[in-house]
Amino acid sequence: HSVREGRLEHTLARDLVPGDTVCLAVGDRVPADLRLFEAVDLSIDESSLTGETAPCSKSTAPQPAATNGDLTSRSNIAFMGTLVRCGKAKGIVIGTGENSEFGEVFKMMQAEEAPKTPLQKSMDLLGKQLSLYSFGIIGVIMLVGWLQGKHILDMFTIGVSLAVAAIPEGLPIVVTVTLALGVMRMVKKRAIVKKLPIVETLGCCNVICSDKTGTLTKNEMTVTQIVTADGQHAEVTGVGYNRFGEVLLDGEVIHGYNNPSISKIVEAGCVCNDAVIRNNTLMGKPTEGALIALAMKMGLDGLQEDYLRKAEYPFSSEQKWMAVKCVHRTQQDKPEVCFMKGAYEQVIRYCTSYHCKGQTLPLGQQQREQYQQEKTSMGSAGLRVLALACGPELGQLSFLGLVGIIDPPRSGVKEAVTTLITSGVAIKMITGDSQETAVAIGMHTPLPCLSLLLNPSLGSVAVFYRASPRHKLKIIKSLQNNGAVVAMTGDGVNDAVALKAADIGVAMGQTGTDVCKEAADMILVDDDFQTIM
């Protein structure tokens, strides 16, 4: 939707020009780079451009010039190709097509030439050697014939005939057929190979660089830990926005209302929530989707329909909490119940008691210190921590507990990485995400030697964080200069340049962007990292 001459009208993205006003709503894909002048609770998923798993909160406040170099710090710009997760906004078009940040990456990709594969280099060398030997043979035969007194033209004809006979005419056919057979075997493993020589390159690859978001992980936030107010620690299995997984407490599966402390946390997270999951597709914020998925695993996802919402206090980046006032549909004559979720430091301020095995007990300093330690511990493990509470009024809430949310590794990735490392292949994770998240995923995967981006010794580094497209390109080039045959896997716009520069670029078929698939040499149809093996 764009505003022209004071009228709101539908406009194709290709028809937008700098100066147009564009209106954004939930679910919209941003059609061009926009400078925001109006934003209400706006969160945009920039994972395909920057690698950040968490949606970025946007505002209209001007940015200091010093921070303009970092895409993630430009909170007043909505970038082309990113997705609006929540809120609404208006912005003025400042860049379209090649003049947008998306276009800058595309221009970098076009300027980058794809390197020759090891097979192509070997064939080139063989061709040069055969040519050299052929000329040598012609020269020797002509010289011998001339010394024997034979006609020089006859000797030249004989020499050329011998040189032509030395050329293996069947070699290109044999190589092509062999590679075609390899491609057919790869198709059975659901991998589309765009260039024949890539099959051989995959076999001699000794370094695999992988993006994190959407490649090693599914880019779907998932609750993995629950800590109740009375000190119980539960683990949650499963990945993504679906009901596949279990809540385990000391090895025992918790379902429904088996455990009052855990079910109360799930109830609060489900009711104080605006997200919807349909057909394993999320509509809303990823963190809220993770809480709905948790309720689905517990069999409590119908709780949202059991309550009538009377009032709502929406989330904002300043207050860092959200609350709703509800009544149960079957008990509308009873007092309203308030549910709250948000950052621990903010939620605990509204709590005067805590929930303990179905009872409400006064909240003391000892409990506060214990919860703070739990929150710090979960945060250091790379988890996003949400606190939950409920009660009759905002100032009289009962603290329920904490949930830890992360975008976890895909199933099978850990085993694949372990197998590749034991086979002598070095695995390096290059992500635009934060240090804590990168290290947490690296330790789950498990990558052997964690280090930082600025370490000069690339060989020993396994995890690179806050990496831009230019950083990824430099890392690939440095590894190639050290003699490595490098494969790069990715799914976002920010991976496209590195995919083209690598000896073999591997794109994700389901979650990958069109730019990424265009730059890649091979596409994994079902996004399964194990196919690379």
Side-chain angles (χ1 to χ4, degrees), residues 43 108 135 194 218 238 271 370 533:
S43 289
M108 281 174 63
F135 283 120
K194 292 167 65 178
K218 285 185 73 174
V271 176
Q370 181 187 339
M533 295 193 296

Side-chain angles (χ1 to χ4, degrees), residues 226 232-237 245-260 262 297-298:
I226 302 173
Q232 299 180 64
H233 290 69
E235 299 289 329
V236 185
T237 62
E246 296 173 331
V247 179
L248 302 171
L249 180 64
D250 299 327
E252 184 184 340
V253 177
I254 304 296
H255 197 76
Y257 294 97
N258 287 0
N259 186 303
I262 292 176
K297 290 168 188 174
M298 290 269 291

Side-chain angles (χ1 to χ4, degrees), residues 203-263:
C204 60
C205 168
N206 53 18
V207 177
I208 296 177
C209 295
S210 178
D211 175 46
K212 177 187 74 70
T213 310
T215 306
L216 293 176
T217 68
K218 285 185 73 174
N219 196 16
E220 294 181 356
M221 301 300 276
T222 307
V223 175
T224 57
Q225 279 188 38
I226 302 173
V227 178
T228 64
D230 51 10
Q232 299 180 64
H233 290 69
E235 299 289 329
V236 185
T237 62
V239 178
Y241 306 126
N242 54 60
R243 60 177 69 251
F244 301 115
E246 296 173 331
V247 179
L248 302 171
L249 180 64
D250 299 327
E252 184 184 340
V253 177
I254 304 296
H255 197 76
Y257 294 97
N258 287 0
N259 186 303
S261 299
I262 292 176
S263 59

Side-chain angles (χ1 to χ4, degrees), residues 9 70 107 126 141 149 153 169 236 260 399 432 440 488 497 500:
E9 55 187 53
D70 183 13
K107 282 193 283 189
L126 180 63
I141 289 173
L153 191 59
E169 293 92 345
V236 185
F399 187 76
M488 173 74 194
V497 186
K500 191 166 184 183

Side-chain angles (χ1 to χ4, degrees), residues 428-444:
K428 301 185 184 297
M429 184 174 78
I430 311 174
T431 178
D433 219 330
S434 64
Q435 179 185 354
E436 294 80 11
T437 309
V439 169
I441 296 298
M443 296 188 68
H444 280 103

